[in-house]
Structure formats: structure tokens, C-alpha cells
Amino acid sequence: MSETADLVVVGAGPAGLAAAATALTGGLRVTLVDSGAAVGGQYWRHPPDHARRTIPTAGLHHGLREYRALRRALSAAGARGRLDLRLAHHVWCVTRDGDGEDGGAGAGFTVHAVDRRRAPQETAVVVRAPRLLVATGAYDRQLPFPGWDLPGVLTVGGLQALLKGGAVVAGSRVALGGTGPFLLPVAAALAARGAEVAAVCEAADPRAWLRSPGPLLRNPAKWAEGARYGATLARHRVRIRPRTAIVAAEGTDRVSRVRIASLAPDGSPRPGTERRVEVDTVGVGWGFAPQLDLLLPLGCDLTDSDDGNAVVAVDAGQRTTVPGLYAAGEVCGVGGARLSLAEGRLAAESVLADGGAAPALGRRRLAAVRATVNGQRAFARAMGRAHPVPQAWSRWLTDDTVVCRCEEVTAGAVRAARADGGAHDHRQVKQLTRVGMGWCQGRICGPAVHCLVAPHQAYTPTERLIATPVTLGALADLDQAGRTPEGTEGAAHE
Ligand SMILES: Cc1cc2nc3c(=O)[nH]c(=O)nc-3n(C[C@H](O)[C@@H](O)[C@H](O)COP(=O)(O)OP(=O)(O)OC[C@H]3O[C@@H](n4cnc5c(N)ncnc54)[C@H](O)[C@@H]3O)c2cc1C
């Protein structure tokens, strides 16, 4: 089997960057693949390198010193020919080769990507390595509500991505809703960049944190971060409304107002509390759902996390249950960039150890990384419990609310699939209604359909063999790319 690297890392967010840098320090040859135009993932999303000077976004970031150090490490390794950095390459499928025994003859992974640097032209790229580390992060978790399909309704992650990736303030008068601490940086960033933030609706009760205050108390950095956002919001007179939700968006051609309501403890709107707020843009986010597209077909075990998602099961060294396959960051559970960085480092240490190489991190540093992982995971568990999807959220839906936008399947059809068709998970609803069968393949509507039919079980996405739509031209290329991986077009080095 021809190999182009000792390790392929998919995803150049905090987890993948930290993993690649650690593996390079340990002397491995690494291929780092990311579908984005710049390294950094969601947390350190930047404009593409050529546009960075003209689009100032540095003020929106935290921890840039660490980001720059990671970039320098990658650049140095690229210059020495040890790093093959492939930006604008989307991995659509990974297969496992050989007999599957770790380190056994022929074992390893074939990573299929499409090179989109010259979009709309796509070319196939194949990379092989004995070990694979998947750090593909998470998606915004969406719940539908009447009017959520109007132009002007976005995800909070989408609003943040527009800000960080292009300094675009998506609206002039904005309402945010959903649950979780992520609402705060988005509200603060929008307000600081000149948008009027008319309402921040947090569905959870902040007192829920009092049920497990330990992780919060042990994380003073989170307090400080929260206080900074609080100060920015106070300066711009933005009010956070706890136990409140955006229950509908209204408008003709695009959103022009939202209806917000106070919530009872089960999440149902309190009668008589509903009011309208005029806006031109809405951002909604109900936490995140791990992006498991590449991992599910490889057959690794999953486990339940405390936020309603199934995540990849890993051991204390970030090894999945598939030999040679490692995972780091939010595919293993949503917990923020600090956790992702630490998991990336741990995973790379395991890759080095399993391959018989010397460790890259000293004993003390490794102990500190492990302590970070434990502390941040405890915080993530507490966050998941404090910011659940409200039990009664589906009462906000009318029967004609569209749930699956690609196939235009309504909440009424999903309810009927459950009541009349006996569907008890989102896959069965798919068979009965075509939900999740369109362009997004259930990435957007999957968690919502799951919450409608099986709210007490963890959400596991449908297994998809193709993680991104691929052109026939790229598939036609595949045979050649598969035979001559070294002959594929040059990588983009930093
Ligand atoms: C839209 C969005 C915006 C967010 N913004 C913030 C923020 O501003 N602040 C904050 O604290 N947290 C933010 N988060 C939470 C965030 O996910 C961080 O906690 C952190 O970035 C997680 O790091 P990670 O390395 O696990 O994943 P990510 O940072 O998500 O990195 C994953 C990387 O994998 C790449 N990728 C995924 N699938 C493929 C594939 N098939 N082929 C090739 N590449 C692939 C992606 O392009 C991405 O660069 C955001 C999350 C989302 C979904």
C-alpha cells in the first residue's frame, strides 16, 4: 500500500491543529486536511489568508497567541517537507484497509477528498496513512419554529462565522435565542460591531448551574470570559432574558419581527407572556451536534453525552474502538476550544506512543494536558445539564411548521409518522416521510426530528457514506487519483 504520511488529521480546528503540531514535534510526517480556506476551525475562523489584511477580525478572537504559535509550528514543518497541508479539501469518505489489526501488515486508512481550491472545478485526491485522527468538530443544533425558514433567520454559529470569516454583521436589529453560553459571545460581538441586539432569549434557568456548581467554580477563566461579555452587553444596553424563547418569526419576504415568550420549567410558553419584537435578523442555536460523518461508517463505538448527543467513545488517550483511529475535539463531546486543544494533544501523544515513537510532550506538560481535559469535560457535562433542549419545545410548532426544509416535510407529517406509522426514531420517520433525504441529508433537521420522536434518547446521526456532495467529474478522477496518490496536485503549504 502506498503511504503518503504517518498520520492523516482531518479537521484544522483547535483539536486538529494541536494534534498535528504535537505529532510533528514527535517527528511524524503529517497530512492535515480541512475543507476551509484557512486553518483555525470554528473558534479561530479567519478570512482566507489573501484577504486578511483588508478584513480586520482579530478583535473578535481569544487566545490568538496560541493560534499563532500553532501556525508557526505548521509553517516550519511545511518548510521542512514534513507537513502536507491541504486546505479547501473536503473529505467525503474514509475506508479502512488491510486486516484491521493495529500496525498489522496492510492496515491503515484511505482518505478520499475533493480539492475545491479552484471551485466550481473539483478534483479527487486520495491520501493513505496507517493512522487517522478525526477532528471534524460540530454543527449548530437547530430546532424549528414557525417562521424559521424565512430569509433573515440564521443560526448563531452562522452569524459568528460571518463575523469572524468576513467581518460581516448580518443584520442591523437582531434577536438571538436558544440556549447555552455561546449566545453571549455572539451577542457581544454583534453589539460591539454596531448591530442593535434587541433581545437575547436564553431558554434555560441560570439557577440550573447551582445544581452542580463545582465545575464552574473550578473554572475561573470561564467566569472571567462571561464577565467580559456581560460588560460589553451592559455597555450596549443589551438585556439577557432568562427562561425565554423565540417561539415564532414573522414577515412576508423576510423576517420583520419575532414572537418571544417566557417559559414554564418544562419549556412550554407561559400564557399571556408572549410579545412581539421588531427585528431584521434572527440567530438561533440550541447547542451543537458532533459531526460524525466520517467516523460512523468506520464502525467506532459511540457513547451518550450529557447534552443529548451520541459522541465517539474514546479511551483516556483519545483512541476510538477502531485500531489506528483516533478522535479529538467536539466529535468526542461539545466542550469548547480549550478542551479540543487538549484532546488534540493527547490524541497525538497516543499516536506517537502506539507507533513506538518518543513522546512529544514532557511528563509535566502531559499531566497538565490531562488535567485540562478532566476539568473541561466536567464543565462540559455541567453545561449540558444546565442548558438542555426544553422538554416541551415542540408545543411551539404548528402542524404546518416545516421541519425538513430540503424535502418540505412538516411537523404534522412527522407527528403522524410517530402516531400513525409507529416511527420511534428519525430513521423510521425518514422512511415514512422523506425527512432528511434532501441536499443536507439530515444534518440540519436530524436533531430536531429526533427530539420530536425520541426525546429521551441520545441523538445518533444517520450513517452517510458520502460526507459532502461530490461531482461526477471528481468521481471520474478517482481511479487515477487512487492509483497515483503522490501525483495529485500540490498541497497548499503555509
Ligand atoms: C458554526 C460554529 C461557530 C462556532 N463559533 C465559535 C466561536 O466563535 N467561539 C467559540 O468559543 N466556539 C465556537 N464554536 C464552538 C466550536 O466548535 C469550538 O468549541 C471549537 O472550534 C471546537 O474545535 P474542534 O477542533 O473540535 O472543531 P472545529 O473548530 O469545528 O474544527 C473542525 C474542522 O474540521 C473541518 N472539517 C469538518 N468536516 C470535514 C471534512 N469532511 N473534510 C475536511 N474538513 C472537515 C472544518 O472545516 C473545521 O475547520 C462554533 C461552532 C460552530 C458549529
Side-chain angles (χ1 to χ4, degrees):
M1 184 182 78
S2 83
E3 292 172 8
T4 59
D6 301 314
L7 171 70
V8 175
V9 178
V10 186
L17 284 178
T22 308
L24 288 163
T25 304
L28 300 190
R29 288 172 306 131
V30 176
T31 297
L32 175 59
V33 190
D34 197 290
S35 51
V39 299
Q42 302 294 359
Y43 184 67
W44 285 316
R45 179 182 285 277
H46 283 86
D49 284 355
H50 67 267
R52 238 177 246 198
R53 286 224 183 102
T54 46
I55 305 177
T57 58
L60 293 164
H61 286 282
H62 300 282
L64 277 183
R65 201 183 325 165
E66 179 141 36
Y67 170 73
R68 289 186 185 123
L70 288 166
R71 273 186 68 124
R72 274 198 302 277
L74 297 193
S75 295
R80 290 198 308 274
R82 303 196 67 80
L83 172 72
D84 179 7
L85 175 63
R86 290 173 180 260
L87 295 174
H89 280 57
H90 206 131
V91 178
W92 59 272
C93 169
V94 180
T95 55
R96 196 156 163 243
D97 310 315
D99 59 11
E101 289 305 314
D102 192 10
F109 299 88
T110 300
V111 176
H112 294 275
V114 272
D115 175 353
R116 290 181 170 153
R117 282 176 296 165
R118 278 178 283 282
Q121 186 197 328
E122 294 192 347
T123 43
V125 169
V126 178
V127 189
R128 296 190 174 95
R131 296 182 205 279
L132 172 69
L133 200 158
V134 176
T136 45
Y139 300 113
D140 276 301
R141 184 162 61 187
Q142 286 302 292
L143 298 181
F145 53 92
W148 76 304
D149 45 350
L150 280 169
V153 181
L154 289 91
T155 65
V156 275
L159 287 173
Q160 184 78 331
L162 286 168
L163 272 169
K164 287 187 168 179
V168 174
V169 182
S172 54
R173 192 170 150 83
V174 187
L176 301 181
T179 192
F182 187 50
L183 293 174
L184 301 182
V186 181
L190 285 169
R193 294 261 163 161
E196 185 185 348
V197 181
V200 181
C201 303
E202 164 55 76
D205 184 341
R207 286 172 303 184
W209 279 97
L210 299 177
R211 285 199 290 272
S212 45
L216 191 56
L217 294 172
R218 282 191 288 275
N219 267 290
K222 300 275 186 198
W223 287 78
E225 193 181 341
R228 276 199 304 276
Y229 298 137
T232 307
L233 294 176
R235 223 173 25 253
H236 292 278
R237 298 184 197 291
V238 177
R239 204 176 126 207
I240 298 165
R241 300 164 194 268
R243 300 177 298 282
T244 306
I246 295 173
V247 293
E250 297 173 342
T252 41
D253 296 335
R254 56 171 290 125
V255 64
S256 57
R257 62 197 161 268
V258 286
R259 296 208 311 261
I260 66 176
S262 295
L263 299 180
D266 70 351
S268 50
R270 286 186 193 277
T273 63
E274 204 171 290
R275 48 177 294 230
R276 285 189 163 81
V277 180
E278 308 285 319
V279 290
D280 56 30
T281 302
V282 182
V284 229
W286 295 93
F288 301 100
Q291 190 174 153
L292 306 180
D293 290 349
L294 302 179
L295 289 156
L296 287 177
L298 290 170
C300 46
D301 286 358
L302 303 180
T303 184
D304 294 355
S305 70
D306 285 272
D307 61 358
N309 289 306
V311 300
V312 179
V314 286
D315 71 3
Q318 304 296 132
R319 296 174 187 85
T320 72
T321 49
V322 174
L325 177 62
Y326 306 76
E330 298 201 324
V331 288
C332 307
V334 172
R338 241 186 113 204
L339 177 58
S340 294
L341 282 164
E343 288 185 352
R345 293 193 170 105
L346 268 192
E349 279 293 299
S350 299
V351 172
L352 291 168
D354 297 348
L361 306 174
R363 207 187 296 171
R364 261 209 207 153
R365 181 96 197 274
L366 187 58
V369 169
R370 283 193 199 287
T372 301
V373 167
N374 293 338
Q376 296 298 308
R377 278 198 190 145
F379 183 84
R381 281 194 295 275
M383 183 171 74
R385 287 193 294 266
H387 294 276
V389 169
Q391 213 185 322
W393 73 275
S394 58
R395 296 210 195 129
W396 314 340
L397 307 185
T398 57
D399 268 352
D400 60 358
T401 306
V402 171
V403 173
C404 166
R405 294 161 73 153
C406 304
E407 292 289 328
E408 298 187 352
V409 182
T410 61
V414 175
R415 285 171 175 146
R418 185 185 182 193
D420 309 334
H424 58 264
D425 69 23
H426 62 102
R427 294 174 194 79
Q428 290 167 348
V429 178
K430 177 176 174 175
Q431 283 156 7
L432 293 170
T433 66
R434 292 191 60 82
V435 82
M437 288 178 86
W439 182 257
C440 91
Q441 288 287 293
R443 287 175 184 83
I444 308 284
C445 63
V449 176
H450 167 83
C451 289
L452 281 172
V453 293
H456 303 298
Q457 290 162 27
Y459 167 63
T460 310
T462 309
E463 186 174 317
R464 309 174 187 103
L465 293 178
I466 297 183
T468 178
V470 189
T471 61
L472 286 174
L475 286 179
D477 260 5
L478 189 59
D479 189 37
Q480 197 181 351
R483 271 190 273 119
T484 55
E486 298 85 354
T488 53
E489 296 218 76
H493 284 292
E494 286 226 321

Short mmCIF file of all heavy atoms in Angstrom, two decimals, residues 269-298:
data_model
loop_
_atom_site.label_atom_id
_atom_site.label_comp_id
_atom_site.label_asym_id
_atom_site.label_seq_id
_atom_site.Cartn_x
_atom_site.Cartn_y
_atom_site.Cartn_z
N PRO A 269 -44.57 27.70 26.62
CA PRO A 269 -44.75 29.15 26.78
C PRO A 269 -45.79 29.46 27.86
O PRO A 269 -46.84 28.83 27.90
CB PRO A 269 -45.24 29.60 25.40
CG PRO A 269 -44.85 28.51 24.47
CD PRO A 269 -44.89 27.25 25.26
N ARG A 270 -45.48 30.42 28.73
CA ARG A 270 -46.45 30.81 29.76
C ARG A 270 -47.52 31.66 29.10
O ARG A 270 -47.21 32.67 28.44
CB ARG A 270 -45.78 31.64 30.85
CG ARG A 270 -44.90 30.83 31.79
CD ARG A 270 -44.41 31.76 32.90
NE ARG A 270 -43.34 31.15 33.66
CZ ARG A 270 -43.52 30.29 34.64
NH1 ARG A 270 -44.75 29.95 35.01
NH2 ARG A 270 -42.51 29.79 35.29
N PRO A 271 -48.81 31.27 29.30
CA PRO A 271 -49.88 32.03 28.66
C PRO A 271 -49.82 33.51 29.07
O PRO A 271 -49.51 33.82 30.23
CB PRO A 271 -51.16 31.38 29.20
CG PRO A 271 -50.73 30.03 29.71
CD PRO A 271 -49.29 30.16 30.10
N GLY A 272 -50.06 34.38 28.10
CA GLY A 272 -50.14 35.82 28.38
C GLY A 272 -48.79 36.52 28.42
O GLY A 272 -48.73 37.73 28.63
N THR A 273 -47.68 35.78 28.21
CA THR A 273 -46.36 36.45 28.27
C THR A 273 -45.81 36.78 26.88
O THR A 273 -44.76 37.39 26.76
CB THR A 273 -45.32 35.56 28.99
OG1 THR A 273 -45.14 34.36 28.22
CG2 THR A 273 -45.74 35.22 30.40
N GLU A 274 -46.52 36.35 25.85
CA GLU A 274 -45.96 36.50 24.51
C GLU A 274 -45.94 37.96 24.09
O GLU A 274 -46.90 38.70 24.34
CB GLU A 274 -46.83 35.69 23.54
CG GLU A 274 -46.06 35.32 22.31
CD GLU A 274 -46.84 34.35 21.44
OE1 GLU A 274 -46.99 33.18 21.85
OE2 GLU A 274 -47.27 34.77 20.36
N ARG A 275 -44.84 38.39 23.45
CA ARG A 275 -44.78 39.76 22.90
C ARG A 275 -43.98 39.76 21.61
O ARG A 275 -43.19 38.85 21.35
CB ARG A 275 -44.20 40.73 23.92
CG ARG A 275 -42.92 40.28 24.59
CD ARG A 275 -42.41 41.35 25.50
NE ARG A 275 -42.02 42.49 24.71
CZ ARG A 275 -40.85 43.11 24.82
NH1 ARG A 275 -39.98 42.70 25.72
NH2 ARG A 275 -40.55 44.14 24.06
N ARG A 276 -44.20 40.80 20.83
CA ARG A 276 -43.52 40.89 19.53
C ARG A 276 -42.35 41.85 19.62
O ARG A 276 -42.44 42.89 20.29
CB ARG A 276 -44.49 41.38 18.46
CG ARG A 276 -45.48 40.31 18.05
CD ARG A 276 -46.28 40.78 16.83
NE ARG A 276 -46.94 39.65 16.19
CZ ARG A 276 -48.08 39.13 16.63
NH1 ARG A 276 -48.70 39.61 17.70
NH2 ARG A 276 -48.63 38.10 15.99
N VAL A 277 -41.25 41.51 18.95
CA VAL A 277 -40.08 42.39 18.90
C VAL A 277 -39.72 42.58 17.43
O VAL A 277 -39.59 41.61 16.68
CB VAL A 277 -38.88 41.75 19.65
CG1 VAL A 277 -37.66 42.67 19.59
CG2 VAL A 277 -39.24 41.42 21.09
N GLU A 278 -39.61 43.85 17.02
CA GLU A 278 -39.26 44.15 15.61
C GLU A 278 -37.77 43.87 15.38
O GLU A 278 -36.94 44.36 16.16
CB GLU A 278 -39.51 45.64 15.30
CG GLU A 278 -40.88 46.16 15.65
CD GLU A 278 -41.93 45.68 14.65
OE1 GLU A 278 -41.63 45.67 13.45
OE2 GLU A 278 -43.04 45.32 15.11
N VAL A 279 -37.44 43.11 14.36
CA VAL A 279 -36.04 42.81 14.04
C VAL A 279 -35.89 42.65 12.53
O VAL A 279 -36.89 42.49 11.82
CB VAL A 279 -35.57 41.47 14.70
CG1 VAL A 279 -35.46 41.59 16.19
CG2 VAL A 279 -36.48 40.30 14.32
N ASP A 280 -34.65 42.67 12.05
CA ASP A 280 -34.46 42.29 10.64
C ASP A 280 -33.63 41.01 10.52
O ASP A 280 -33.47 40.48 9.42
CB ASP A 280 -33.81 43.43 9.83
CG ASP A 280 -32.50 43.91 10.40
OD1 ASP A 280 -31.79 43.10 11.02
OD2 ASP A 280 -32.18 45.11 10.23
N THR A 281 -33.10 40.53 11.65
CA THR A 281 -32.28 39.31 11.61
C THR A 281 -32.49 38.53 12.92
O THR A 281 -32.67 39.14 13.98
CB THR A 281 -30.79 39.68 11.47
OG1 THR A 281 -30.64 40.45 10.27
CG2 THR A 281 -29.89 38.45 11.38
N VAL A 282 -32.47 37.21 12.80
CA VAL A 282 -32.65 36.35 13.97
C VAL A 282 -31.52 35.31 13.98
O VAL A 282 -31.18 34.77 12.93
CB VAL A 282 -34.01 35.60 13.90
CG1 VAL A 282 -34.21 34.74 15.14
CG2 VAL A 282 -35.14 36.58 13.75
N GLY A 283 -30.96 35.05 15.15
CA GLY A 283 -29.96 33.97 15.28
C GLY A 283 -30.43 32.98 16.33
O GLY A 283 -30.82 33.38 17.42
N VAL A 284 -30.43 31.70 15.97
CA VAL A 284 -30.91 30.69 16.92
C VAL A 284 -29.89 29.56 17.06
O VAL A 284 -29.29 29.13 16.07
CB VAL A 284 -32.24 30.02 16.48
CG1 VAL A 284 -33.24 30.01 17.60
CG2 VAL A 284 -32.80 30.66 15.25
N GLY A 285 -29.73 29.07 18.27
CA GLY A 285 -28.80 27.96 18.48
C GLY A 285 -29.15 27.21 19.75
O GLY A 285 -29.32 27.80 20.81
N TRP A 286 -29.24 25.91 19.61
CA TRP A 286 -29.58 25.04 20.75
C TRP A 286 -28.41 24.13 21.05
O TRP A 286 -28.57 22.92 21.19
CB TRP A 286 -30.86 24.25 20.43
CG TRP A 286 -32.03 25.16 20.29
CD1 TRP A 286 -32.51 25.72 19.15
CD2 TRP A 286 -32.84 25.68 21.35
NE1 TRP A 286 -33.57 26.54 19.43
CE2 TRP A 286 -33.79 26.54 20.78
CE3 TRP A 286 -32.86 25.51 22.75
CZ2 TRP A 286 -34.74 27.22 21.53
CZ3 TRP A 286 -33.80 26.18 23.49
CH2 TRP A 286 -34.72 27.02 22.89
N GLY A 287 -27.23 24.73 21.15
CA GLY A 287 -26.03 23.93 21.35
C GLY A 287 -25.54 23.39 20.02
O GLY A 287 -25.88 23.93 18.96
N PHE A 288 -24.78 22.31 20.08
CA PHE A 288 -24.14 21.78 18.89
C PHE A 288 -24.36 20.27 18.79
O PHE A 288 -24.63 19.62 19.80
CB PHE A 288 -22.64 22.06 18.92
CG PHE A 288 -22.32 23.53 19.00
CD1 PHE A 288 -21.99 24.12 20.21
CD2 PHE A 288 -22.39 24.32 17.87
CE1 PHE A 288 -21.72 25.48 20.29
CE2 PHE A 288 -22.12 25.68 17.93
CZ PHE A 288 -21.78 26.27 19.14
N ALA A 289 -24.25 19.75 17.58
CA ALA A 289 -24.33 18.30 17.37
C ALA A 289 -23.02 17.85 16.73
O ALA A 289 -22.63 18.38 15.68
CB ALA A 289 -25.50 17.96 16.46
N PRO A 290 -22.28 16.91 17.34
CA PRO A 290 -20.99 16.48 16.80
C PRO A 290 -21.10 16.01 15.35
O PRO A 290 -22.10 15.41 14.96
CB PRO A 290 -20.60 15.32 17.71
CG PRO A 290 -21.31 15.59 18.98
CD PRO A 290 -22.61 16.23 18.60
N GLN A 291 -20.06 16.29 14.59
CA GLN A 291 -20.05 15.95 13.16
C GLN A 291 -19.37 14.59 12.97
O GLN A 291 -18.16 14.51 12.85
CB GLN A 291 -19.29 17.05 12.41
CG GLN A 291 -19.43 16.92 10.95
CD GLN A 291 -18.81 18.07 10.16
OE1 GLN A 291 -18.44 17.85 9.04
NE2 GLN A 291 -18.72 19.27 10.71
N LEU A 292 -20.19 13.54 12.94
CA LEU A 292 -19.66 12.17 12.99
C LEU A 292 -19.60 11.50 11.62
O LEU A 292 -19.35 10.30 11.53
CB LEU A 292 -20.53 11.32 13.94
CG LEU A 292 -20.72 11.87 15.35
CD1 LEU A 292 -21.59 10.94 16.19
CD2 LEU A 292 -19.38 12.08 16.04
N ASP A 293 -19.82 12.29 10.55
CA ASP A 293 -19.95 11.70 9.21
C ASP A 293 -18.85 10.71 8.85
O ASP A 293 -19.12 9.65 8.30
CB ASP A 293 -19.94 12.80 8.14
CG ASP A 293 -21.20 13.63 8.18
OD1 ASP A 293 -22.14 13.23 8.86
OD2 ASP A 293 -21.22 14.69 7.54
N LEU A 294 -17.60 11.06 9.14
CA LEU A 294 -16.50 10.18 8.72
C LEU A 294 -16.33 9.01 9.67
O LEU A 294 -15.81 7.96 9.29
CB LEU A 294 -15.20 10.98 8.64
CG LEU A 294 -15.22 12.18 7.69
CD1 LEU A 294 -13.88 12.90 7.74
CD2 LEU A 294 -15.53 11.74 6.27
N LEU A 295 -16.76 9.19 10.90
CA LEU A 295 -16.49 8.18 11.94
C LEU A 295 -17.51 7.04 11.92
O LEU A 295 -17.14 5.88 12.14
CB LEU A 295 -16.46 8.85 13.31
CG LEU A 295 -15.22 9.74 13.52
CD1 LEU A 295 -15.48 10.80 14.56
CD2 LEU A 295 -14.02 8.90 13.90
N LEU A 296 -18.77 7.38 11.67
CA LEU A 296 -19.81 6.33 11.75
C LEU A 296 -19.55 5.17 10.79
O LEU A 296 -19.59 4.01 11.20
CB LEU A 296 -21.19 6.93 11.51
CG LEU A 296 -21.77 7.78 12.64
CD1 LEU A 296 -23.12 8.36 12.23
CD2 LEU A 296 -21.92 6.97 13.90
N PRO A 297 -19.24 5.45 9.51
CA PRO A 297 -19.04 4.31 8.60
C PRO A 297 -17.82 3.47 8.97
O PRO A 297 -17.72 2.32 8.56
CB PRO A 297 -18.83 4.98 7.22
CG PRO A 297 -19.39 6.35 7.37
CD PRO A 297 -19.19 6.73 8.79
N LEU A 298 -16.88 4.01 9.75
CA LEU A 298 -15.71 3.23 10.15
C LEU A 298 -16.03 2.29 11.30
O LEU A 298 -15.22 1.44 11.67
CB LEU A 298 -14.55 4.16 10.52
CG LEU A 298 -13.94 4.90 9.33
CD1 LEU A 298 -12.97 5.98 9.79
CD2 LEU A 298 -13.23 3.93 8.39
#
